[in-house]
Amino acid sequence: MIPDLGFTLQQTYAAPPERVYACFTDPGLLVSWFCPNPDLPTTAELDVRPGGGWRVEMGDWVVGGSYVEVEPPSRLVFTFDWDDDDEAATTVTVQITPEGSATRLVLEHEEYADDSAHEEGWLLTLARLDRLLS
């Protein structure tokens, strides 16, 4: 059995759950925060339904996958796979919960290798999401 070396990140946003969910499912919103480097041109194609694909180009970096679970506005589960490596796809679960007038986001990224770059990338992108929602 391959060990799970993933991580969990939690963040509270001053926005309703529907707005946070839209930031993950609307290509126009996603490109404004998803890339850790704000200087890279970013495009997104999202087919948000179970089995639908997603793809984000960030300069020369391309990541994509498919949606496993889609439960608006509270949950998304999708595979995560870089185009330029031979590693197996990993799984990301995004849980969105109302918390008073704010929204709690819990992001779990299941991984099978010790790759702190993914966690660092998510920390940078979630900080950009916070600025967008503030």
Side-chain angles (χ1 to χ4, degrees):
M1 181 167 167
I2 301 173
D4 179 8
L5 300 171
F7 54 89
T8 300
L9 302 174
Q10 299 183 41
Q11 179 73 37
T12 301
Y13 296 105
E18 294 79 10
R19 177 79 174 147
V20 176
Y21 184 85
C23 287
F24 279 86
T25 58
D26 178 316
L29 292 171
L30 188 99
V31 298
S32 64
W33 68 270
F34 190 80
C35 180
N37 181 347
D39 296 328
L40 291 178
T42 303
T43 62
E45 297 173 21
L46 311 177
D47 181 8
V48 186
R49 60 181 175 82
W54 70 276
R55 178 181 172 91
V56 177
E57 294 183 20
M58 303 167 283
D60 292 336
W61 300 92
V62 180
V63 65
S66 61
Y67 294 97
V68 179
E69 295 178 40
V70 177
E71 299 173 21
S74 60
R75 183 175 167 87
L76 281 173
V77 179
F78 52 91
T79 60
F80 188 97
D81 193 14
W82 291 102
D83 273 9
D84 66 348
D85 71 27
D86 294 330
E87 300 294 320
T90 56
T91 302
V92 176
T93 300
V94 177
Q95 197 71 40
I96 299 167
T97 311
E99 192 170 272
S101 62
T103 297
R104 183 105 177 127
L105 181 136
V106 177
L107 184 144
E108 296 177 38
H109 194 142
E110 298 173 9
E111 299 199 289
Y112 305 103
D114 188 9
D115 185 356
S116 61
H118 281 164
E119 186 171 2
E120 183 180 331
W122 278 117
L123 287 168
L124 290 169
T125 60
L126 292 179
R128 291 188 69 203
L129 178 58
D130 187 42
R131 288 190 291 279
L132 175 68
L133 292 169
S134 294

